[in-house]
C-alpha cells in the first residue's frame, strides 16, 4: 500500500499533497506513532519530484511535531494528532503567579489547533542555550523571555528570524526581533 499520493494537475502544491497524504494515512490508521515514513528519495523517485519538494513537506510535518527525524535512519511518526497546525516554543525565565497568568492568557488567545510547549531557563544561560539548540526547527514560532541574560544573541540567531518574538525584557543584541516589553526608563 502506498502512503503518499501526488497528482500532477490537482492545483494543490505537490508538497501539500504529500503532507495531506501522510495526514490521511494517520487518520485512517495506516500509520501509527513510531512508524517509519517512506524515505525522501523513495517518494522523490516514485512521483518524479525534486528532493526539495519532498523535504519541504517533511519539514512542515516536523515543524508541526507530527514527524521527527533521526539522523541516518529517516523520518518517524511522532504523534497521531494531525490536527495541530502550529507549535509554539514558549521559553520563560521562571514560573510565578505573573508568568502563570501570562501563560494562561497566551493559551486563551490562541486557536484550538495550536500546541504550546513551555520551558524554563531559570536565569541560567547554559540551560537557555541548550533549550534553544535542542528545539531548532521543531516549532512554528519561538516566544522567548530572555530576562537579564547577556550574550545570548548568537544562540537566538540560530532560530528562523521571522518566527522569533521577544517577551518581557530585551537588550541591544536582540533588537532585530519583534518584542513586547515595558521600557521603565522612558516611563518617567
Amino acid at each position: 500500500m502506498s502512503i503518499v499520493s501526488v497528482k500532477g494537475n490537482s492545483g494543490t502544491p505537490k508538497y501539500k499533497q504529500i503532507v495531506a497524504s501522510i495526514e490521511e494515512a494517520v487518520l485512517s490508521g495506516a500509520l501509527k506513532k513510531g512508524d517509519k515514513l517512506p524515505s525522501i528519495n523513495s517518494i522523490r523517485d516514485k512521483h518524479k519530484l525534486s528532493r526539495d519538494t519532498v523535504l519541504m513537506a517533511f519539514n512542515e510535518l516536523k515543524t508541526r511535531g507530527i514527524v521527527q527525524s533521526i539522523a541516518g535512519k529517516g523520518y518517524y511518526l511522532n504523534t497521531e494528532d494531525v490536527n495541530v497546525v502550529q507549535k509554539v516554543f514558549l521559553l520563560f525565565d521562571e514560573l510565578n503567579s505573573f508568568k502563570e497568568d501570562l501563560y494562561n492568557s497566551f493559551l486563551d488567545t490562541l486557536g484550538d489547533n495550536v500546541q504550546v510547549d513551555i520551558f524554563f531557563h531559570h536565569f541560567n544561560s547554559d540551560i537557555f542555550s541548550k533549550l534553544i539548540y535542542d528545539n531548532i526547527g521543531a516549532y512554528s514560532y519561538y516566544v522567548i523571555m530572555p530576562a537579564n541574560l547577556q550574550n545570548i544573541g548568537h544562540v537566538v540567531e540560530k532560530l528562523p528570524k521571522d518566527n522569533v518574538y521577544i517577551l518581557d525584557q530585551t537588550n541591544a543584541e536582540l533588537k532585530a526581533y519583534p518584542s513586547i516589553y515595558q521600557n521603565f526608563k522612558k516611563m518617567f
Side-chain angles (χ1 to χ4, degrees):
M1 177 180 88
S2 179
I3 291 187
V4 175
S5 67
V6 177
K7 295 177 181 140
N9 57 357
S10 79
T12 302
K14 291 179 176 135
Y15 84 95
K16 289 282 189 191
Q17 292 181 50
I18 296 169
V19 170
S21 294
I22 291 171
E23 290 173 341
E24 288 171 22
V26 172
L27 293 172
S28 72
L31 275 177
K32 300 281 187 199
K33 183 177 180 177
D35 285 353
K36 185 175 182 179
L37 273 64
S39 73
I40 291 173
N41 291 335
S42 70
I43 295 172
R44 176 199 67 195
D45 294 344
K46 180 176 181 182
H47 298 284
K48 296 178 177 50
L49 302 170
S50 77
R51 191 173 198 291
D52 289 343
T53 298
V54 182
L55 190 56
M56 192 181 312
F58 278 40
N59 282 338
E60 180 177 316
L61 291 164
K62 186 177 175 186
T63 299
R64 289 173 49 201
I66 295 171
V67 302
Q68 67 176 347
S69 62
I70 300 176
K73 300 220 182 247
Y75 287 82
Y76 292 82
L77 192 65
N78 194 40
T79 181
E80 293 177 31
D81 186 7
V82 295
N83 293 322
V84 171
V85 175
Q86 296 179 343
K87 286 180 63 180
V88 177
F89 173 90
L90 184 60
L91 180 56
F92 279 5
D93 47 18
E94 66 180 350
L95 182 61
N96 56 34
S97 59
F98 164 71
K99 306 291 170 41
E100 186 175 359
D101 289 344
L102 184 61
Y103 174 71
N104 288 329
S105 295
F106 193 76
L107 290 180
D108 290 343
T109 307
L110 299 174
D112 293 335
N113 294 341
V114 179
Q115 174 184 326
V116 178
D117 294 336
I118 187 168
F119 302 89
F120 301 94
H121 60 74
H122 303 287
F123 305 96
N124 182 314
S125 58
D126 291 336
I127 293 172
F128 179 94
S129 298
K130 179 165 179 25
L131 288 169
I132 297 284
Y133 287 133
D134 287 353
N135 290 287
I136 291 172
Y139 289 87
S140 308
Y141 297 98
Y142 298 82
V143 178
I144 299 170
M145 186 178 286
N148 57 0
L149 295 177
Q150 299 297 312
N151 302 316
I152 55 168
H154 68 284
V155 176
V156 176
E157 73 183 13
K158 303 293 184 198
L159 298 171
K161 184 177 181 182
D162 293 338
N163 300 35
V164 174
Y165 301 90
I166 306 300
L167 189 60
D168 195 35
Q169 293 183 31
T170 191
N171 58 49
E173 63 183 330
L174 301 175
K175 68 182 178 187
Y177 301 98
S179 58
I180 299 172
Y181 63 95
Q182 192 167 359
N183 188 336
F184 291 102
K185 290 179 185 175
K186 288 191 175 183
M187 283 184 60
F188 302 102

